[in-house]
Amino acid sequence: DKLPSFSITTTDGSKITLPDDLETDFGIVLFTAELVTFLPRLLDGYEQRLADFKALSTSIFAATVDSLEKTKEVAEPLSFPIGWGVTRELGDQLGSFWDDTRDFIQPTEFVFTKSGRVLSSTYSSSPIGRTDPAEALVLLNFITNMKKK
């Protein structure tokens, strides 16, 4: 499958359109409801392994429904782009589960190529079921090694 083109606005005010603006061979994008509540530990895991991802020509992105102010709290120690203000329209475009009661996107995550081909997708209707950073590295190492053969 191909990842649909979409844009996120990051905490520094820039707009990133994926997969179009991807400058590396691979990308990982993580969407979630509330960064402050659910995601700091997972994002920290990606940050800790960022050199390994860069060595595999992989860029990391995350985005949330949170406000700019709340998103900045979590994004400050991270060196990859964090988007904010994710809408229901984007969630629908991505095929995400949407919590109507609390009005937010449920976990939706993709590993994709520069051309937008989806290598892995993870959808969840709760905070359980995430793309673990160590497992993402295993997948990317496998794919990279297969290309060498």
Side-chain angles (χ1 to χ4, degrees):
D1 286 342
K2 187 164 173 117
L3 187 65
S5 180
F6 63 89
S7 297
I8 57 174
T9 302
T10 65
T11 55
D12 69 3
S14 61
K15 181 179 174 182
I16 298 174
T17 300
L18 295 173
D20 309 356
D21 293 342
L22 185 64
E23 297 177 355
T24 54
D25 292 337
F26 305 103
I28 297 175
V29 63
L30 312 159
F31 289 93
T32 192
E34 299 169 316
L35 288 175
V36 174
T37 305
F38 296 113
L39 215 52
R41 188 173 44 149
L42 183 68
L43 294 179
D44 288 344
Y46 278 95
E47 183 69 28
Q48 291 167 6
R49 295 166 178 83
L50 201 54
D52 296 327
F53 284 109
K54 287 183 178 182
L56 293 169
S57 189
T58 303
S59 297
I60 310 297
F61 308 90
T64 179
V65 299
D66 286 339
S67 67
L68 175 58
E69 182 179 288
K70 283 181 77 175
T71 304
K72 280 183 173 182
E73 290 177 35
V74 176
E76 186 178 335
L78 303 172
S79 57
F80 51 88
I82 308 292
W84 62 277
V86 171
T87 63
R88 171 90 186 231
E89 179 182 13
L90 177 55
D92 289 346
Q93 181 183 357
L94 298 171
S96 307
F97 293 102
W98 194 271
D99 186 314
D100 290 317
T101 305
R102 295 175 287 175
D103 196 32
F104 60 64
I105 195 170
Q106 291 288 0
T108 305
E109 304 168 349
F110 300 97
V111 179
F112 59 98
T113 66
K114 188 173 187 139
S115 67
R117 186 168 62 96
V118 176
L119 302 172
S120 175
S121 59
T122 304
Y123 293 89
S124 182
S125 60
S126 73
I128 298 172
R130 299 290 191 154
T131 303
D132 179 80
E135 291 173 3
L137 282 169
V138 169
L139 172 65
L140 291 166
N141 272 305
F142 174 77
I143 291 167
T144 302
N145 288 332
M146 291 302 290
K147 285 183 174 183
K148 292 177 184 176
K149 292 183 177 186

